[in-house]
Amino acid sequence: MYAMVAPPDNDVLQARSLHCSPGGFPALTGVSLGVREGDILAVLGPRGSGKTTLLRCLSGQQVPHEGEVWFDGHPIHTLSAARRERLRADSFAWVGAEPSLVPELSGWENAALPLLLRGTPHRAARAAAMDWLERLDVADCARARPDRMPRDQRQRIAVARALAAAPTVLFADEPTAALHAGDRTHVLRTLTTAARSHHITVVLASVDEEAAEFADRAVRLVDGRRADSATGSDEGQEACSLSV
Ligand SMILES: Nc1ncnc2c1ncn2[C@@H]1O[C@H](COP(=O)(O)OP(=O)(O)OP(=O)(O)O)[C@@H](O)[C@H]1O
């Protein structure tokens, strides 16, 4: 064991020697990495390599069985479930492969939902949501219900919802997996361009090497371990001074 030491100032997120076995399967076996503020980090690897489990640990949805996760200079693996929930609502956004929209709400209401839940006035939340729907080319879906939209439009609204919330970190887990090739590139480009212009840090998981083209850095996982460099193995405290 080693004493908990805060990560370097320019790392907004840091994982140290994560071990995690959801459902008893060793999905992560000693993963360390740092994510610099404002960076777009691609987490690449084949199916089953541990990408989703890593993003779930970094975002506080899953507590690692061993190791540490730090956000903004504070450990989050030691927080209560309620405090992790609060952190996720205030600072993080998540886009998965399947758009998970509220079926009873229209396109703009879905995109505005995190802002409305935070108490943003209705008019301001609507304006922000509409702005993002326009950037993602789905403004004409603003009044439609999700069951009236094709999947790629629902996914664009899910991306708009994540960006409208102005998170510190956006976790995108295979955000374009369910889209056609042309849509994939457009959604990834829009997501990463918007994140850069709003200084949102992005952790982008993908099986597709193309995702690295949109990122500042990439790490690669194979069988729950870093496969890209010596910094990725079970290095414990040395990780404190390393970014990616
Ligand atoms: N709750 C769970 N119960 C059992 N096994 C799990 C659980 N969660 C993850 N695993 C296993 O851990 C391994 C890593 O899964 P994970 O979803 O993190 O990988 P991934 O790289 O995101 O893959 P995919 O693209 O298929 O989602 C896989 O073998 C998966 O079956």
Side-chain angles (χ1 to χ4, degrees):
M1 279 307 287
Y2 48 89
M4 290 206 294
V5 180
D9 284 349
N10 58 356
D11 276 352
V12 68
L13 263 179
Q14 201 181 60
R16 295 178 182 167
S17 284
L18 296 186
H19 290 252
C20 190
S21 303
F25 186 88
L28 297 179
T29 54
V31 173
S32 299
L33 56 80
V35 190
R36 291 188 197 149
E37 197 178 353
D39 260 9
I40 296 178
L41 174 70
V43 177
L44 303 173
R47 298 202 69 106
S49 56
K51 303 180 300 296
T52 299
T53 307
L54 176 60
L55 266 60
R56 285 174 54 79
C57 287
L58 291 172
S59 64
Q61 293 179 58
Q62 167 94 47
V63 177
H65 297 101
E66 279 179 47
E68 299 178 1
V69 180
W70 289 69
F71 167 66
D72 212 10
H74 302 282
I76 65 171
H77 56 287
T78 52
L79 294 179
S80 67
R83 297 222 16 224
R84 278 185 286 115
E85 185 73 30
R86 179 84 252 158
L87 176 69
R88 281 166 48 204
D90 289 345
S91 303
F92 298 158
W94 181 280
V95 179
E98 289 296 328
S100 57
L101 302 181
V102 181
E104 293 80 10
L105 300 182
S106 68
W108 83 260
E109 288 167 334
N110 267 287
L113 194 56
L115 296 174
L116 294 168
L117 290 173
R118 274 183 208 164
T120 305
H122 189 272
R123 187 186 290 259
R126 189 174 197 280
M130 287 304 300
D131 186 37
W132 283 109
L133 295 183
E134 263 165 40
R135 288 187 202 201
L136 285 145
D137 284 344
V138 277
D140 53 349
C141 298
R143 293 176 175 278
R145 296 277 158 88
D147 63 356
R148 296 301 185 103
M149 303 171 199
R151 185 193 263 185
D152 71 290
Q153 292 185 350
R154 281 186 277 134
Q155 186 65 334
R156 285 166 198 253
I157 288 175
V159 172
R161 177 180 58 189
L163 291 165
T168 304
V169 184
L170 168 59
F171 295 92
D173 187 11
E174 299 279 8
T176 58
L179 305 181
H180 294 299
D183 284 333
R184 247 182 249 160
T185 306
H186 181 249
V187 169
L188 264 190
R189 182 167 294 123
T190 310
L191 187 156
T192 49
T193 304
R196 285 185 207 287
S197 66
H198 287 68
H199 207 61
I200 295 171
T201 304
V202 178
V203 184
L204 169 65
S206 182
V207 292
D208 190 350
E209 281 285 328
E210 189 199 0
E213 291 169 24
F214 295 91
D216 299 301
R217 295 146 195 274
V219 298
R220 287 173 176 75
L221 295 185
V222 173
D223 293 341
R225 288 185 160 265
R226 288 276 299 271
D228 45 298
S229 74
T231 63
S233 61
D234 211 340
E235 71 263 286
Q237 193 167 9
E238 299 93 285
C240 305
S241 59
L242 296 171
S243 278
V244 181

